[in-house]
């Protein structure tokens, strides 16, 4: 059953992303050495799915602009994806992009680019792998993950051994998945994106900091 854009955004919103913002919560562009952007030196706004990458970008951004009060803001993945893809209007004058785990994406980049090109989609300056395993599918749910490690953690949490985890798992770029979700090829209503524990922990820390009015070193205002 095909999903609407609104339904797709709601599904993706199960994953948080993190971006550098100023004290007013406005998204801040990052120079290429902080965002691993295009080689032409263009600044861009980046949403990170990996907390460690986001924290690293924040440190670099603070070093580049020590006078600015910068922190991490939290944006649901669906909202960020809609802005990057032009489904929603952005007020930013800078290019927008998503950034998955940088080490993982570097390993899979060529494969993901080939996938996108074969589907007639522009690989652009970013790729984002999504992982799934048929053995985890039930009639009511198909979990999707941002990494094989996250998939493996769920596998073990379900009482299965690490050794029994299938060697072959499905990996597809998020843009191909989103394109498929707009077709009747599958009952897409049963898919569920599983947020990494590190991302959940960072969001919880941000919420606790706001509740206590006791700023963390990197207090991300929730959007």
């Amino acid at each position: 059953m095909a999903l609407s854009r609104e339904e797709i955004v709601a599904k993706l919103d199960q994953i948080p992303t993190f971006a550098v913002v100023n004290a007013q919560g406005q998204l801040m562009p990052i120079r290429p050495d902080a965002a691993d952007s295009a080689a032409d030196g263009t600044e861009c706004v980046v949403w990170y799915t990996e907390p460690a990458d986001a924290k690293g970008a924040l440190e670099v951004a603070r070093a580049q602009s020590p006078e600015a009060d910068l922190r991490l803001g939290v944006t649901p993945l669906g909202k960020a994806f809609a802005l990057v893809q032009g489904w929603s209007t952005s007020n930013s004058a800078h290019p927008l992009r998503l950034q998955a785990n940088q080490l993982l994406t570097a390993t899979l980049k060529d494969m993901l680019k080939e996938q996108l090109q074969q589907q007639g989609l522009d690989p652009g300056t970013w790729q984002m792998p999504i992982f799934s395993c048929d053995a985890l599918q039930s009639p009511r749910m198909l979990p999707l993950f941002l990494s094989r490690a996250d998939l493996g953690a769920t596998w073990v949490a379900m009482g299965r051994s690490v050794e029994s985890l299938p060697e072959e798992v499905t990996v597809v770029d998020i843009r191909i998945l989103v394109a498929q979700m707009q077709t009747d090829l599958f009952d897409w209503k049963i898919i569920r994106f599983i947020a990494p524990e590190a991302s959940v922990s960072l969001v919880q820390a941000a919420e606790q900091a706001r509740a206590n009015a006791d700023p963390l070193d990197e207090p991300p205002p929730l959007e």
Side-chain angles (χ1 to χ4, degrees), residues 44 194 209 222:
C44 56
I194 308 299
L222 298 177

Side-chain angles (χ1 to χ4, degrees), residues 1-9 11 177-191:
M1 181 180 298
L3 300 183
S4 66
R5 285 186 174 183
E6 291 76 15
E7 290 172 321
I8 292 171
V9 167
K11 290 285 188 182
L177 176 62
V178 166
Q180 293 174 342
M181 290 166 69
Q182 298 175 75
T183 72
D184 293 322
L185 294 174
F186 184 74
D187 181 12
W188 300 108
K189 290 187 180 298
I190 72 170
I191 67 171

Side-chain angles (χ1 to χ4, degrees), residues 98 100 105 109 112-113 116 123-129 173 175:
L98 292 171
T105 305
K109 180 174 61 176
L112 296 174
K113 282 185 174 181
L116 289 162
T125 61
W126 63 274
Q127 291 79 44
M128 180 173 291
D173 186 88
R175 283 166 289 185

Side-chain angles (χ1 to χ4, degrees), residues 148-221:
R148 182 182 174 88
D150 293 334
L151 188 157
T154 294
W155 182 273
V156 172
M158 295 176 66
R160 306 179 185 186
S161 67
V162 174
E163 294 75 20
S164 66
L165 179 65
E167 287 292 330
E168 296 296 328
V169 299
T170 300
V171 185
V172 63
D173 186 88
I174 190 172
R175 283 166 289 185
I176 293 178
L177 176 62
V178 166
Q180 293 174 342
M181 290 166 69
Q182 298 175 75
T183 72
D184 293 322
L185 294 174
F186 184 74
D187 181 12
W188 300 108
K189 290 187 180 298
I190 72 170
I191 67 171
R192 179 183 175 188
F193 288 85
I194 308 299
E197 284 298 323
S199 298
V200 174
S201 297
L202 184 55
V203 173
Q204 290 173 342
E207 292 175 337
Q208 187 63 46
R210 287 163 60 86
N212 295 339
D214 181 17
L216 300 174
D217 180 50
E218 297 165 1

Side-chain angles (χ1 to χ4, degrees), residues 40-62:
D40 61 5
T42 301
E43 291 186 333
C44 56
V45 171
V46 185
W47 285 276
Y48 295 87
T49 61
E50 171 57 51
D53 292 339
K55 291 177 181 179
L58 177 61
E59 291 179 3
V60 174
R62 284 174 168 172

